[in-house]
Amino acid sequence: MSNELVSPCEGDIILLNDLSLWIVKGCFHPRGYIVALPRIINGRKIKKLRDMYEVIKRYYAHFLKFVPELGLKVPLIPMKFVKKLYSSLSTKCIKGIDRLQDICTELLEIIESNCSIECGITGSLLGKYYTSSSDIDLVCLDKPKLYDCLMKLRKEGILLPLTERTFSSELIEVSEGLDRGVHIKLITSKVLQGSFKSHRYTLRVINCLRLRDYLGPYDVVMRVPTAILKIRASDYRTPAIIMTDIIKVPLGEYSASKADRSLCISHRLRYTELPKGSIIIIHDALLMIKKDIPIFNLDFSNNITMIFP
């Protein structure tokens, strides 16, 4: 590899020896490996998670390994296959190259100066496969009162909300797992996704330390046909750790059946900023149980819908 990797971060991109581009996912990476998903394969851009796994199963099945800390099979990329790492937090846009880079530079400067945080770029700008209409994808490190600062920028009209019209075309490409109507309602109220100078932006706020207590090995990993939960506390960070009350979960003989609270975990931006009090209905839910705590993995559950308060 051309540059030494100390600790991969959600949002980083790796270039493999076969010149495919992969996005680094999650906070846990076994020593000597990187958990990542394919983004550009033979010039083809892959956006949906299920399509990524289809590519992996067809061309990179040897990367799939069960990771007890995650409770499922994930693609583990051995370091010897990595040609280059693109670090998201240490990479900025470059002013003067084109209009998108200029707008990205301005947006970074506004967020960093107003909120006193460290940010970088990810997505197509980091991987250098962007077009003039690409999103501006940012990654920032979490800090106290950061979300309040972003909300202030929204109220001041600097960060504008997305509308159904501006998001509907992309929804066809990215919608999966989450009911489309729910996705539209959520996306138009998010601060972490919006519009700046007529360009869509996304902003991931990384905080990995909170996940440590909820990593495996797990006592039980299972699928349940339907879980119905009520959101007690949402999360703006990645990974999102969402506190929920259990309304209905068929857990059978396991001791967690006595629990009245659970967690939902996701590394996807769509599951951040969920309205408190919403009912979340998860079909074919992936459930891990650790020390009698039910933990639902939203990213690998098959269909999710919500009823808003």
Side-chain angles (χ1 to χ4, degrees), residues 170-181:
E170 185 178 358
L171 184 64
I172 297 172
E173 298 180 0
V174 302
S175 183
E176 60 176 339
L178 184 63
D179 176 84
R180 287 193 179 191

Side-chain angles (χ1 to χ4, degrees), residues 103-161:
I103 293 173
C104 172
T105 299
E106 185 178 352
L107 178 58
L108 272 173
E109 289 174 350
I110 288 172
I111 293 174
E112 289 186 324
S113 62
N114 280 272
C115 303
S116 301
I117 54 170
E118 177 188 354
C119 297
I121 59 172
T122 183
S124 59
L125 281 165
L126 179 62
K128 303 185 189 312
Y129 55 89
Y130 68 91
T131 67
S132 60
S133 61
S134 290
D135 290 2
I136 298 171
D137 299 312
L138 306 180
V139 171
C140 301
L141 290 177
D142 189 28
K143 63 169 291 185
K145 298 185 177 180
L146 170 56
Y147 191 73
D148 293 339
C149 178
L150 296 173
M151 282 290 294
K152 184 172 180 288
L153 293 176
R154 169 60 56 84
K155 290 176 181 177
E156 291 174 350
I158 297 172
L159 303 179
L160 299 176

Side-chain angles (χ1 to χ4, degrees), residues 96-105 132 136 197-199:
I97 291 181
D98 52 46
R99 176 169 169 74
L100 186 65
Q101 292 267 359
D102 289 347
I103 293 173
C104 172
T105 299
S132 60
I136 298 171
K197 293 200 169 180
S198 300
H199 280 269

Side-chain angles (χ1 to χ4, degrees), residues 222-278:
M222 60 188 291
R223 285 196 175 269
V224 295
T226 304
I228 304 176
L229 314 170
K230 184 176 182 179
I231 297 174
R232 286 192 297 116
S234 187
D235 201 351
Y236 64 90
R237 295 160 291 194
T238 298
I241 301 175
I242 305 155
M243 306 296 179
T244 58
D245 293 323
I246 294 176
I247 297 177
K248 181 182 178 181
V249 179
L251 292 175
E253 63 186 282
Y254 300 106
S255 60
S257 61
K258 299 176 184 178
D260 59 357
R261 291 186 172 179
S262 62
L263 302 174
C264 294
I265 292 178
S266 173
H267 288 83
R268 308 188 80 175
L269 210 56
R270 66 190 61 184
Y271 297 120
T272 59
E273 301 182 272
L274 301 181
K276 181 180 178 181
S278 297

Side-chain angles (χ1 to χ4, degrees), residues 22-130:
W22 295 57
I23 50 176
V24 176
K25 295 303 297 181
C27 294
F28 179 81
H29 304 273
R31 185 179 296 275
Y33 295 88
I34 302 174
V35 179
L37 294 170
R39 175 62 89 195
I40 305 289
I41 305 292
N42 295 326
R44 175 192 168 201
K45 184 177 180 180
I46 309 166
K47 299 195 75 170
K48 291 186 177 181
L49 183 63
R50 63 171 171 261
D51 294 338
M52 293 176 178
Y53 268 84
E54 285 300 317
V55 167
I56 293 166
K57 290 173 183 177
R58 184 170 182 178
Y59 300 109
Y60 300 94
H62 52 291
F63 286 162
L64 281 174
K65 307 291 182 185
F66 181 81
V67 179
E69 290 82 358
L70 303 177
L72 72 164
K73 278 188 174 181
V74 296
L76 292 183
I77 316 301
M79 296 298 297
K80 65 181 180 180
F81 287 94
V82 179
K83 183 180 179 69
K84 185 174 182 180
L85 166 77
Y86 298 93
S87 172
S88 56
L89 283 169
S90 62
T91 308
K92 309 286 188 184
C93 292
I94 303 174
K95 191 172 183 179
I97 291 181
D98 52 46
R99 176 169 169 74
L100 186 65
Q101 292 267 359
D102 289 347
I103 293 173
C104 172
T105 299
E106 185 178 352
L107 178 58
L108 272 173
E109 289 174 350
I110 288 172
I111 293 174
E112 289 186 324
S113 62
N114 280 272
C115 303
S116 301
I117 54 170
E118 177 188 354
C119 297
I121 59 172
T122 183
S124 59
L125 281 165
L126 179 62
K128 303 185 189 312
Y129 55 89
Y130 68 91

